Amino acid sequence: MDYARTEFQASLDSDQEGSTISESGSCDSYEQPRPSFADEHGLMELFEGDKAYDLIYRNCKSGLGDQCQLLSILRNGFRTLGARAKLKTFQVFQEAVEMKHVGEGGGGSRVKYGWCAVTKTELKSILEYGFSQPSNDGSYGRGLYLSPDNALLECVKGSAAESEDGMRFLLLSRVILGKSEVVPRGSTQSCPSSPEFDSGVDDLSSPKKYIVWSTHMNTHVLPEFLVCLKTPFNFNSPRRLRSPWMPFPLLIKALSKFLPPSQIFIIQKHYRDQQNMRISRSELIQRVRRITGDKLLVHIIKAVGNKVQQQ
């Protein structure tokens, strides 16, 4: 699988060398047309037959099968000054990490492709200014979590649908991994444990998560493609999770018997945010799922929920 991932990267890398960006034509009418989604975000839509489109399309189909509908694939055009500055910054840090590890025989900067889910509202600011705050449960420390290019399903499972129709936005980014260290679940780490490391992973031999610390996430991650897709309404959701007979306070109480206090504190905070209308109920459910995992959640809902119904 590592060979396939390398081939995927090499194919995309070679495609970037000859890529060109064309501007949209002008309109002769007095009323200016509304910018398209691609133009508004400085992106260029790709179509079937384009080498990058075909590679990413096959990657998505391989990772998700037919259960998701792929709507569009767009390339970052780096059209604005801010976006071009981010591109230059990434190149500078890639060279720096390469020089840092020269002679170690470990691949130098080790640039990989990784997936991360974003919301539509934060997409434009990410492309223009960078990541402001990682939207994850913090279970592997403070940073941005990305799924390897061959683990797209993990990324989609950990994301929340943008709307009831299952729309999701996934960034495919270049990631400077350099020398990675293993980060255990439950870590509170927020930067490399020593100067020799540049990033974190959940597993060295077969990682499912790339962990880019908050100190590095706007220098070591470069969003290059955006994939828009739709997932089924109940995509990977625990059955009956939305049932009204399972109040969240009761769920939190039951979870406290299985999870450490630090994770219960995070769940309680998410619940307060939902009660204060800072996040939606759907987002609350997704965040709880990321912390607990579906197996534990389904077990508790079945066990506790049945007791509530019988009362």
Side-chain angles (χ1 to χ4, degrees), residues 12-45:
L12 279 180
D13 290 345
S14 63
D15 178 65
Q16 305 309 305
E17 295 175 1
S19 65
T20 59
I21 299 174
S22 60
E23 301 291 342
S24 57
S26 61
C27 181
D28 295 329
S29 62
Y30 289 102
E31 183 180 353
Q32 291 296 324
R34 184 178 179 181
S36 67
F37 175 85
D39 288 336
E40 184 181 351
H41 292 80
L43 302 169
M44 181 177 68
E45 186 166 4

Side-chain angles (χ1 to χ4, degrees), residues 8-253:
F8 175 78
Q9 285 185 214
S11 299
L12 279 180
D13 290 345
S14 63
D15 178 65
Q16 305 309 305
E17 295 175 1
S19 65
T20 59
I21 299 174
S22 60
E23 301 291 342
S24 57
S26 61
C27 181
D28 295 329
S29 62
Y30 289 102
E31 183 180 353
Q32 291 296 324
R34 184 178 179 181
S36 67
F37 175 85
D39 288 336
E40 184 181 351
H41 292 80
L43 302 169
M44 181 177 68
E45 186 166 4
L46 303 180
F47 300 96
E48 186 176 354
D50 181 277
K51 186 177 179 181
Y53 178 97
D54 294 341
L55 284 166
I56 295 172
Y57 181 87
R58 288 197 298 269
N59 184 278
C60 292
K61 283 296 182 182
S62 173
L64 302 175
D66 296 325
Q67 55 186 325
C68 298
Q69 178 187 2
L70 200 156
L71 301 177
S72 59
I73 300 174
L74 304 101
R75 189 205 306 269
N76 190 349
F78 302 104
R79 295 177 178 177
T80 67
L81 286 175
R84 287 196 290 272
K86 284 184 60 60
L87 172 59
K88 183 63 177 177
T89 299
F90 181 86
Q91 293 169 340
V92 169
F93 274 88
Q94 181 179 348
E95 292 176 5
V97 175
E98 187 78 31
M99 293 176 63
K100 174 183 174 182
H101 297 292
V102 66
E104 294 183 4
S109 58
R110 288 185 61 236
V111 177
K112 303 286 187 180
Y113 273 98
W115 296 98
C116 68
V118 297
T119 65
K120 185 178 180 180
T121 54
E122 66 185 355
L123 175 61
K124 190 172 183 178
S125 64
I126 288 175
L127 294 174
E128 177 69 18
Y129 305 112
F131 297 93
S132 58
Q133 183 175 354
S135 56
N136 54 57
D137 58 12
S139 57
Y140 288 90
R142 187 178 179 184
L144 179 67
Y145 305 162
L146 301 99
S147 301
D149 60 60
N150 67 338
L152 176 56
L153 182 60
E154 293 296 317
C155 177
V156 177
K157 283 167 58 179
S159 68
E162 184 74 16
S163 57
E164 293 297 332
D165 62 0
M167 175 75 80
R168 298 176 197 243
F169 297 91
L170 307 175
L171 284 175
L172 179 60
S173 304
R174 288 179 187 258
V175 187
I176 302 172
L177 291 179
K179 187 172 184 179
S180 300
E181 60 182 309
V182 175
V183 180
R185 189 177 183 87
S187 170
T188 58
Q189 195 170 335
S190 60
C191 61
S193 62
S194 77
E196 70 175 300
F197 297 115
D198 306 285
S199 64
V201 292
D202 59 339
D203 185 280
L204 281 177
S205 60
S206 182
K208 289 292 185 289
K209 289 185 189 299
Y210 296 150
I211 301 147
V212 181
W213 306 119
S214 53
T215 53
H216 291 45
M217 63 187 183
N218 285 314
T219 56
H220 289 50
V221 180
L222 183 70
E224 283 203 7
F225 299 95
L226 175 71
V227 173
C228 307
L229 53 81
K230 282 187 177 182
T231 57
F233 177 74
N234 60 345
F235 181 77
N236 269 332
S237 295
R239 294 183 61 187
R240 302 199 302 188
L241 186 58
R242 294 172 176 265
S243 178
W245 48 257
M246 188 61 186
F248 260 91
L250 185 60
L251 175 62
I252 293 172
K253 182 179 179 181

